Amino acid sequence: MANCSQQQLHFVISPIPIPRVVNELQHLKNKICVFLVFLAAALPFNTDKAYAQSATEKGLQVAKAARAAVSGFDGLTVELEMTLRNRQGNESRRALRLKTLESPSSGDKSIFVFDSPKDVAGTAFLVHSHKNKPDDQWLYLPALKRVKRIRSSNRSGSFMGSEFSYEDMTTPAVEKFKHTWLRDEACGNLTCAVIESVPIEKGSGYSRQVGWFDTASYRTWKTEYFDRRNKHLKTLTYSDYNRYGGKHWRAAKLSMVNHLTGKSSNLDWSNFDFGVKLSDRDFTQTSLRRIR
Amino acid sequence: MTSLKPVSAEFGKLLLRLVMFARLFSAAFAASCAFTVAAQDVSNWDVQTAGKVAVKGRFFSDNPLNPSQSSHHGELTFEPTIYLEHSGGNSFAFRPHLRAGRSQANAAAADIREAYFLTFGNTDTIEWEFRLGIDQVFWGTTEATNLVNIVNQIDYAADPFGDERLGQPMAHGTIAGDFGILNLLLLPYHRPRTFPGFEGRFRAHPWISDNSSDILYEHADEERHIDFAARYGASIGFLDFGISAFKGTAREPVHLPIDCSARQILSPILTQNNNCRLQQIYRQIEQGGLDLQLTVGDFLGKAEVVHRSGFASDGSYNAFVVGGEYVLYSIFGSNADLTLFGEWIHDERRENATNALQNDLFLAARYNLNDVGDTSFTVSIVDDLDYSTQTLNLLFERRLSDSVSIDLESFMFLKSPTAEDRAYFPLRDDAFLEVSLVYGF
């Protein structure tokens, strides 16, 4: 073969890449969240119940207890199926896997992997949660083998076209609401404390939420969401509670109904594993690239 | 009318090439497979399969520059993935890419996008990973082009926009820790770039030949020359950066006309046969690269810079891309988001640059409906700051069901290129509309 360096070269230009934007699943990446409402870090649990309390004190105490009830694990893996249903009853499904490492001191770490729809299968998110600064998030696109650091999320938009917003999925710290105890009332065989929570920070899509928490284990049974005009917008119900490892109560089914649109979205959780051994090394950019 | 080569003959040739290419690595791959399988209990392997089938039609509205070129292009792509994972963490991945089509040479093609063995582990402070085989590596942060992304060869025959890359044989080691991530790559085999061929649209004039006799290497080791690449990446607060280096055979070829008369050189579009062609010449080069990303609120700032030497005897050159993207959430009180992109691409060789983005502005907007079908519209414009050329790209994407999605894409010139814009000028009549349906399994 000729040694081309000895020849007179005529530079001719190749057909070139016409730039275009690769779709980075904007719909996913800005909405991904931690589902930490179910997995969240432990917060101080005020057990001091002996004193007579104001409605505000009692509201805060129940909110903290409910939050503590879903904390106190190390590692967790779980599978999730989301079913979206429109007013005509047409269904659409999303399936994903999630693993989380709880770390009350440095913030939780999570990885989400999508299995369906097929056009996003293999797409994965890595989230490093922080208490006092925005979360760090990375997106892995398997077709391009690209890891991209992405901005932290928007709160009120729809999560993957569902009736859940980002805000619904993340539930910020207990301290970011003003909680008021409204009443105790029967819920099934249990007694529930009904707590109204008004967001303190701007940016919420809601004027207030009302939650039903049983006084036995502080499990959440229902949340009603009111829009900025104080209209009852959505209702989330929790059911099929199971206890894992003798202490971790989790609802297997969550159902969100939008009263304005008639649409609903169900979350079905399965294969909870609280015994899984995870470490910080499972939540790095390098491990994100290995995800299947 | 052009007589097209039978697809089967084309396919046979490509398969033969693929076999030759695969042979090089199969020995090492088989050895590592055998070693791993023997060393570990076979029953502990978990097998996963996935993949996609895509049907694509591309329709050109204008008559071609050269009557030999086609008016439309159709193809069927099959890309299965087989993944084997041992409970101990070692894994194999195999992803062949099979494509059959017509109206474009190289429409029929077979490639191994991935076929690698992966093992990893960690100490208290260090995480390590080793991959051996054919793999894909992406480096970069920007959208319009990725100057630093040099490991895998571009597959223009599969995608005129250069988003598809050929599988690259490699040994790839990674060490990561609090200090950052260090990647070291040994690349023992070179893959020549693919092009649309004589009958294809979106091509140079004269056409770029992919006959093995027209692919020339500066180094005596030819495609067996061993290349090295490395990247160190780290994060400091809002800033992510990577420093990369490459030494070896260029991915971008230099082209030399051959068997062309003076008349054909002056008017290559008049070429009635495929004798007059461009050879691909691969020089030995060195590249140093820097990629940056700033993540601040709803804004991403991005940049890539490269320094290259070895392409030409008259020295080295620098090129960069700098820009950002900004997202507007829930616009018009809806669920929809609007993301705005802007980048400036600059190559200091300017009129002597070997790609179209010698001094260009890239502007794009993507509108995501955030609905059940993840519908999105993307508009991209490239404005050439040296020449008058302006291109427009429109893209519509929507999922039709859990497993089927559709893309509609169109490319056109808002301002046609003039002869001085040598990169775009051969494409001046190649505006197209493309429809693709993808089935995932």
Side-chain angles (χ1 to χ4, degrees):
Chain A
M1 217 170 266
N3 181 347
C4 61
S5 63
Q6 294 171 353
Q7 298 183 14
Q8 173 86 38
L9 295 181
H10 298 263
F11 289 87
V12 180
I13 296 163
S14 311
I16 24 55
I18 307 302
R20 67 175 170 187
V21 179
V22 172
N23 194 338
E24 283 142 13
L25 307 169
Q26 187 74 27
H27 53 282
L28 298 183
K29 78 180 188 190
N30 293 315
K31 309 287 147 48
I32 195 62
C33 65
V34 205
F35 294 91
L36 286 183
V37 61
F38 317 107
L39 309 166
L43 288 158
F45 179 22
N46 181 7
T47 53
D48 189 358
K49 287 188 258 185
Y51 300 98
Q53 293 171 305
S54 70
T56 312
E57 285 168 344
K58 188 166 180 183
L60 180 61
Q61 182 237 317
V62 172
K64 284 182 172 178
R67 198 60 188 276
V70 291
S71 304
F73 61 93
D74 293 324
L76 165 64
T77 62
V78 63
E79 290 167 26
L80 173 60
E81 185 175 80
M82 182 181 267
T83 307
L84 319 185
R85 196 175 289 114
N86 67 13
R87 198 194 286 270
Q88 290 74 37
N90 296 328
E91 289 188 354
S92 177
R93 286 174 210 284
R94 287 99 178 76
L96 43 118
R97 287 167 282 145
L98 162 61
K99 62 180 174 185
T100 293
L101 178 69
E102 194 185 42
S103 173
S105 55
S106 63
D108 295 357
K109 293 177 177 178
S110 304
I111 285 184
F112 305 81
V113 190
F114 286 86
D115 290 324
S116 83
K118 292 300 177 187
D119 61 334
V120 296
T123 302
F125 290 89
L126 170 64
V127 183
H128 288 182
S129 311
H130 304 295
K131 287 185 171 166
N132 303 317
K133 58 175 183 168
D135 296 349
D136 289 323
Q137 299 184 24
W138 294 264
L139 169 68
Y140 174 63
L141 296 161
L144 302 170
K145 294 216 136 190
R146 179 176 184 175
V147 170
K148 183 180 180 180
R149 184 164 170 191
I150 57 176
R151 38 183 111 60
S152 335
S153 315
N154 149 46
R155 293 178 65 201
S156 57
S158 161
F159 177 76
M160 294 197 74
S162 76
E163 297 314 306
F164 290 88
S165 68
Y166 177 80
E167 184 175 14
D168 301 336
M169 308 301 279
T170 49
T171 298
V174 169
E175 289 81 357
K176 292 186 174 174
F177 291 88
K178 181 176 180 290
H179 303 278
T180 309
W181 172 81
L182 300 179
R183 61 187 181 271
D184 281 351
E185 68 178 31
C187 52
N189 298 326
L190 298 161
T191 303
C192 278
V194 184
I195 307 296
E196 179 187 75
S197 304
V198 177
I200 291 169
E201 291 186 343
K202 287 178 183 171
S204 172
Y206 308 121
S207 60
R208 61 191 178 104
Q209 306 172 14
V210 178
W212 277 254
F213 307 92
D214 76 67
T215 51
S217 308
Y218 293 99
R219 288 166 295 186
T220 310
W221 292 92
K222 186 165 81 168
T223 308
E224 292 180 349
Y225 297 91
F226 295 82
D227 68 14
R228 290 185 184 129
R229 292 176 190 145
N230 203 23
K231 198 167 184 178
H232 185 185
L233 180 63
K234 300 188 291 191
T235 302
L236 175 62
T237 50
Y238 299 68
S239 62
D240 296 35
Y241 266 100
N242 290 303
R243 190 152 62 167
Y244 302 89
K247 55 181 175 179
H248 306 291
W249 283 104
R250 288 295 184 278
K253 289 186 187 301
L254 277 70
S255 174
M256 179 75 93
V257 177
N258 186 318
H259 302 295
L260 292 188
T261 63
K263 294 180 186 174
S264 65
S265 298
N266 288 355
L267 297 182
D268 289 281
W269 300 79
S270 58
N271 295 331
F272 280 99
D273 184 353
F274 286 93
V276 67
K277 184 87 183 135
L278 295 172
S279 78
D280 286 338
R281 297 281 160 231
D282 296 307
F283 298 90
T284 63
Q285 290 181 57
T286 309
S287 61
L288 182 65
R289 226 178 275 265
R290 283 196 299 267
I291 286 286
R292 286 283 173 171
Chain B
M1 285 297 291
T2 313
S3 65
L4 297 170
K5 275 182 279 184
V7 166
S8 55
E10 199 52 22
F11 219 79
K13 192 180 81 180
L14 283 150
L15 280 174
L16 189 67
R17 192 180 297 165
L18 183 76
V19 167
M20 288 167 63
F21 158 64
R23 195 181 293 157
L24 184 75
F25 250 67
S26 60
F29 194 70
S32 63
C33 292
F35 173 78
T36 318
V37 170
Q40 295 171 327
D41 185 358
V42 176
S43 65
N44 288 334
W45 289 89
D46 174 41
V47 183
Q48 294 174 29
T49 56
K52 66 176 183 185
V53 180
V55 188
K56 186 184 287 182
R58 194 179 300 140
F59 307 93
F60 296 89
S61 51
D62 300 326
N63 289 325
L65 276 178
N66 187 307
S68 305
Q69 291 179 279
S70 57
S71 63
H72 62 277
H73 170 62
E75 70 184 30
L76 176 70
T77 306
F78 177 54
E79 204 174 279
T81 304
I82 299 158
Y83 177 70
L84 286 146
E85 184 179 311
H86 189 262
S87 53
N90 293 342
S91 59
F92 295 101
F94 180 58
R95 179 161 66 100
H97 171 92
L98 302 166
R99 204 165 73 241
R102 52 178 293 119
S103 304
Q104 177 174 307
N106 290 324
D111 183 39
I112 298 174
R113 293 291 200 243
E114 294 174 22
Y116 62 83
F117 164 74
L118 164 66
T119 186
F120 63 95
N122 64 271
T123 67
D124 287 347
T125 52
I126 298 282
E127 177 189 11
W128 61 268
E129 185 185 280
F130 182 70
R131 295 168 186 247
L132 181 66
I134 298 162
D135 199 4
Q136 306 256 335
V137 171
F138 178 90
W139 293 343
T141 55
T142 51
E143 304 298 324
T145 184
N146 293 110
L147 296 171
V148 301
N149 193 21
I150 196 168
V151 175
N152 288 80
Q153 181 60 276
I154 298 172
D155 189 354
Y156 281 128
D159 177 28
F161 297 102
D163 285 339
E164 287 274 342
R165 300 259 170 170
L166 297 171
Q168 169 65 48
M170 66 179 79
H172 180 183
T174 303
I175 304 167
D178 292 339
F179 62 87
I181 302 172
L182 179 65
N183 302 102
L184 297 168
L185 296 93
L186 190 148
L187 311 164
Y189 192 85
H190 181 268
R191 311 283 320 274
R193 191 164 283 191
T194 69
F195 294 99
F198 185 62
E199 295 101 0
R201 297 291 284 264
F202 238 69
R203 71 156 166 92
H205 292 269
W207 70 289
I208 298 166
S209 169
D210 65 348
N211 291 325
S212 54
S213 59
D214 287 327
I215 296 170
L216 310 176
Y217 289 90
E218 178 182 2
H219 198 278
D221 290 347
E222 302 186 335
E223 68 270 32
R224 307 278 174 95
H225 182 268
I226 293 174
D227 304 337
F228 296 97
R231 181 179 183 273
Y232 167 72
S235 302
I236 305 170
F238 294 123
L239 174 69
D240 292 74
F241 69 93
I243 302 164
S244 53
F246 174 87
K247 182 171 170 49
T249 311
R251 272 41 183 163
E252 179 186 335
V254 169
H255 296 295
L256 177 69
I258 192 151
D259 292 342
C260 297
S261 66
R263 190 183 67 90
Q264 285 172 323
I265 290 287
L266 288 171
S267 292
I269 60 170
L270 299 175
T271 312
Q272 293 297 320
N273 60 54
N274 59 6
N275 288 343
C276 170
R277 63 198 187 273
L278 298 176
Q279 294 182 319
Q280 304 183 38
I281 297 154
Y282 291 95
R283 307 289 300 256
Q284 287 294 308
I285 65 148
E286 290 173 15
Q287 173 176 306
L290 174 68
D291 58 269
L292 299 171
Q293 182 176 312
L294 275 167
T295 309
V296 184
D298 294 336
F299 175 75
L300 299 185
K302 309 170 191 181
E304 291 185 26
V305 184
V306 288
H307 176 82
R308 289 175 181 150
S309 58
F311 276 105
S313 45
D314 54 345
S316 59
Y317 70 94
N318 302 306
F320 66 80
V321 197
V322 62
E325 68 177 78
Y326 185 79
V327 63
L328 298 154
Y329 293 111
S330 305
I331 55 165
F332 315 130
S334 68
N335 275 336
D337 298 331
L338 183 68
T339 312
L340 304 172
F341 301 85
E343 291 177 3
W344 175 36
I345 309 104
H346 189 268
D347 183 322
E348 70 175 9
R349 295 172 300 171
R350 301 295 279 277
E351 70 269 20
N352 292 320
T354 50
N355 67 71
L357 302 172
Q358 85 298 343
N359 188 23
D360 291 61
L361 205 57
F362 167 76
L363 299 169
R366 185 171 54 225
Y367 182 61
N368 286 85
L369 262 62
N370 290 320
D371 58 349
V372 171
D374 287 327
T375 309
S376 73
F377 300 90
T378 308
V379 180
S380 319
I381 291 170
V382 175
D383 183 32
D384 197 308
L385 300 173
D386 287 341
Y387 310 115
S388 60
T389 315
Q390 269 185 4
T391 68
L392 171 68
N393 203 303
L394 302 172
L395 176 64
F396 168 82
E397 297 165 286
R398 180 174 165 74
R399 183 166 53 242
L400 301 176
S401 77
D402 284 354
S403 50
V404 179
S405 44
I406 189 169
D407 287 8
L408 294 173
E409 181 157 18
S410 115
F411 169 82
M412 69 192 80
F413 287 98
L414 291 177
K415 286 185 190 163
S416 263
T418 53
E420 58 180 3
D421 190 349
R422 294 181 301 147
Y424 278 124
F425 193 57
L427 311 178
R428 60 191 178 275
D429 289 330
D430 288 342
F432 67 77
L433 175 70
E434 184 179 290
V435 183
S436 61
L437 275 171
V438 182
Y439 171 77
F441 60 90

